[in-house]
């Protein structure tokens, strides 16, 4: 029998993000609850608030590289150094998938009426389950200056929805104890947005404050896709071979803008607007339909997101908080959320940075997200930053029943206070300032 492990492999490959509204990853900001409108470093300012580019150190150049080349026995290889991945609402999907695998093993080992009925029931429960998946990478070259600061930047962000589509014939054949190859599939539908832009920022100094204004005009390539992945053993290879050919490519011009006011180089207030030119995207998908039924359209809206925040910053500590002023819009099938974010950073001798934060949905649609991370900055030249996000029913269980534990992939469907907490995303970023 062809095994369902192919989908498990795909799930693990893309699971290890509910930062979808941000459309970028930044290890420092993401470790601080995703807050960065008033506290971002000048190297990453272009992604969140271009005004902060002008408040960086004018004697530094900042660089973020998406990968570092190296040689492996004479063969060129690339080590990723700036990327993030995250899942959203993954527990029901993973739990149903785990039940299918368990039932399939029992069916293979001892095919009878009971194991066949359990297998068919598990397939039926897996049908229609969804998991959101986000992934991204970025690069930047930042040149702060007292007159006109600028940064050349690129950012690529993919947001997808995986939907289980179980064939009724598989369920019927399982009930009949005659199931061989599986016809069931998982539909992966989503949007990939790649930015290439130039951020510009100017400062005006006053007696008590420095005012910075920034803009980031950018070219956007937008790829939409919908692909049915067979859960048989050959499904992944078919997906790899056909995915790029199935992209629907579009071009778009967009603009980010921001303002920041820094009082006494200690207290900063800021506002930013990202993707100020709205664009609606339609994706032809079979995600809502059964096997061999007609396609439908999934709508994704790339909409402006305006955020205001403040930060208290010092050489040894930073405290920041911010709030979205409008609802975040993405897939029409997902409920709209509006987030408040807060985070703190402690800087130990300019060598080690410890960070933590929280993100809360003001519309009470999504659970609170807890974040933590750290950075290492030897000689304050190379900066290595890591962040992880933790939420109820996260993909990899780390806390349950009042204690920390290595629970593995979360297959629970528990809700409320008894729900386990798990890691559902991580971010790595390597940058340099010289």
């Amino acid at each position: 029998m062809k095994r369902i492990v192919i989908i498990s492999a795909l799930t693990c490959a893309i699971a290890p993000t509910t930062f979808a509204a941000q459309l970028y990853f930044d290890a420092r900001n993401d470790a601080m609850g995703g807050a960065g409108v008033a506290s971002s470093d000048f190297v990453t300012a272009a992604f969140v608030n271009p005004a902060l580019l002008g408040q960086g150190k004018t004697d530094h150049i900042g660089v973020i590289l998406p990968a570092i080349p190296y040689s492996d026995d004479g063969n060129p290889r690339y080590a990723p150094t700036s990327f993030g991945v995250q899942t959203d609402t993954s527990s029901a999907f993973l739990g149903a998938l785990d039940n299918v695998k368990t039932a399939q093993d029992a069916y293979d080992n001892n095919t009878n009426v009971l194991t066949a009925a359990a297998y068919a029931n598990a397939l039926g429960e897996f049908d229609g389950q969804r998991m959101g998946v986000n992934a991204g990478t970025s690069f930047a070259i930042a040149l702060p200056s007292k007159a006109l600061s600028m940064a050349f930047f690129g950012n690529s962000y993919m947001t997808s929805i995986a939907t289980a589509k179980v064939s009724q014939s598989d369920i019927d054949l399982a009930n009949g104890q005659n199931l061989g190859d599986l016809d069931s599939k998982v539909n992966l539908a989503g949007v990939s947005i790649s930015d290439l832009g130039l951020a510009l920022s100017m400062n005006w100094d006053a007696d008590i404050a420095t005012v910075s204004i920034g803009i980031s005009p950018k070219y956007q390539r937008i790829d939409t896709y919908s692909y049915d992945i067979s859960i048989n053993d050959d499904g992944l290879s078919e997906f790899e071979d056909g995915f790029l050919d199935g992209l629907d490519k579009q071009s778009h011009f967009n603009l980010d803008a921001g303002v920041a006011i820094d009082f006494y180089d200690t207290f900063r207030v800021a506002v930013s607007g990202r993707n100020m030119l709205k664009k609606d995207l339609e994706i032809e998908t079979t995600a809502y339909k059964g096997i061999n039924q007609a396609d439908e359209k999934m709508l994704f809206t790339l909409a402006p997101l305006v955020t205001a925040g403040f930060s208290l910053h010092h050489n040894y500590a930073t405290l920041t908080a911010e709030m979205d002023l409008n609802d975040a819009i993405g897939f029409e099938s997902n409920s709209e959320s509006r987030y408040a974010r807060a985070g703190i950073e402690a800087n130990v001798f300019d060598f080690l940075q410890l960070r933590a934060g929280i993100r809360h949905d003001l519309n009470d649609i999504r659970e609170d997200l807890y974040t933590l991370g750290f950075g290492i900055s030897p000689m304050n030249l190379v900066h290595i930053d890591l962040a992880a996000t933790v939420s109820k029913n996260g993909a990899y269980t780390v806390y349950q029943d009042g204690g920390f534990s290595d629970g593995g992939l979360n297959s629970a469907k528990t809700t409320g206070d008894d729900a386990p907490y798990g890691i559902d995303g991580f971010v790595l970023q390597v940058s340099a300032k010289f």
Side-chain angles (χ1 to χ4, degrees):
M1 178 185 294
K2 297 289 186 75
R3 306 293 294 162
I4 200 171
V5 294
I6 187 64
I7 291 300
S8 302
L10 177 65
T11 301
C12 293
I14 57 182
T17 156
T18 21
F19 285 119
Q22 298 181 184
L23 298 179
Y24 77 96
F25 286 103
D26 173 8
R28 179 175 181 266
N29 290 351
D30 290 342
M32 299 166 67
V37 165
S39 59
S40 287
D41 188 82
F42 77 93
V43 185
T44 59
F47 305 124
V48 55
N49 185 355
L52 301 183
L53 177 63
Q55 300 198 0
K57 296 180 179 180
T58 58
D59 57 346
H60 281 68
I61 297 174
V63 177
I64 299 173
L65 295 177
I68 296 176
Y70 69 96
S71 177
D72 181 12
D73 293 332
N75 299 314
R77 297 286 187 267
Y78 295 90
T81 55
S82 178
F83 68 93
V85 288
Q86 192 176 29
T87 61
D88 185 14
T89 61
S90 61
S91 60
F93 185 100
L94 294 175
L97 177 60
D98 186 69
N99 290 339
V100 170
K101 291 192 296 179
T102 301
Q104 186 185 56
D105 289 340
Y107 177 85
D108 289 347
N109 293 330
N110 184 18
T111 301
N112 56 49
V113 174
L114 293 178
T115 58
Y119 192 11
N121 183 65
L123 286 169
E125 290 183 351
F126 184 49
D127 186 36
Q129 295 292 346
R130 288 190 161 189
M131 179 173 69
V133 181
N134 305 318
T137 186
S138 60
F139 78 88
I141 302 174
L143 304 169
S145 168
K146 291 183 179 180
L148 177 64
S149 300
M150 63 182 63
F152 179 61
F153 69 95
N155 179 65
S156 185
Y157 191 94
M158 180 189 76
T159 180
S160 309
I161 295 178
T163 305
K165 297 172 51 182
V166 175
S167 169
Q168 183 60 45
S169 65
D170 284 348
I171 297 176
D172 294 339
L173 289 171
N175 273 319
Q177 304 180 43
N178 194 32
L179 179 58
D181 293 351
L182 295 167
D183 291 329
S184 300
K185 303 178 185 294
V186 167
N187 176 267
L188 186 68
V191 177
S192 174
I193 302 172
S194 298
D195 299 341
L196 189 64
L198 180 67
L200 302 170
S201 177
M202 295 186 66
N203 294 348
W204 287 270
D205 291 325
D207 291 338
I208 63 171
T210 298
V211 180
S212 301
I213 297 177
I215 59 170
S216 295
K218 57 187 180 181
Y219 165 82
Q220 290 183 317
R221 169 174 158 165
I222 303 174
D223 298 323
T224 59
Y225 52 88
S226 178
Y227 198 95
D228 282 344
I229 308 168
S230 171
I231 63 177
N232 287 321
D233 291 342
D234 55 359
L236 187 57
S237 61
E238 291 176 356
F239 170 71
E240 292 173 341
D241 293 339
F243 178 69
L244 292 179
D245 295 334
L247 294 177
D248 179 16
K249 305 175 181 64
Q250 303 180 46
S251 297
H252 186 51
F253 173 82
N254 221 315
L255 182 70
D256 300 341
V259 177
I261 305 174
D262 200 332
F263 296 91
Y264 298 111
D265 198 27
T266 301
F267 178 73
R268 181 185 296 143
V269 294
V271 178
S272 77
R274 284 164 277 168
N275 296 310
M276 300 303 290
L277 304 180
K278 182 180 177 180
K279 187 174 181 65
D280 292 325
L281 304 165
E282 290 185 342
I283 306 169
E284 296 282 350
T285 181
T286 61
Y288 299 123
K289 294 289 186 179
I291 304 294
N292 298 325
Q293 291 184 317
D295 289 359
E296 283 195 349
K297 292 182 179 179
M298 180 182 291
L299 181 65
F300 181 91
T301 300
L302 180 63
L305 181 65
V306 180
T307 306
F310 74 88
S311 70
L312 287 166
H313 55 98
H314 188 272
N315 290 336
Y316 301 109
T318 298
L319 174 67
T320 185
E322 66 185 41
M323 181 178 68
D324 294 337
L325 302 185
N326 62 300
D327 291 346
I329 304 175
F331 286 108
E332 63 176 346
S333 57
N334 285 358
S335 301
E336 298 176 3
S337 296
R338 182 182 303 189
Y339 297 115
R341 310 174 187 90
I344 187 170
E345 175 188 65
N347 183 14
V348 183
F349 304 120
D350 284 331
F351 177 81
L352 175 66
Q353 295 80 41
L354 303 175
R355 305 174 181 121
I358 184 174
R359 192 203 65 187
H360 173 70
D361 186 353
L362 298 173
N363 293 343
D364 290 327
I365 296 171
R366 289 179 169 83
E367 297 281 357
D368 289 345
L369 189 74
Y370 302 94
T371 65
L372 67 160
F374 69 91
I376 300 174
S377 51
M379 298 182 294
N380 205 27
L381 176 63
V382 176
H383 296 253
I384 303 172
D385 297 302
L386 286 166
T389 59
V390 177
S391 64
K392 280 187 177 180
N393 284 316
Y396 195 93
T397 302
V398 294
Y399 183 88
Q400 189 174 15
D401 297 330
F404 292 96
S405 64
D406 181 4
L409 285 178
N410 179 19
S411 60
K413 297 181 180 180
T414 311
T415 59
D417 295 336
D418 295 330
Y421 285 84
I423 297 174
D424 57 13
F426 66 88
V427 186
L428 166 69
Q429 193 168 72
V430 178
S431 60
K433 301 174 187 176
F434 49 89

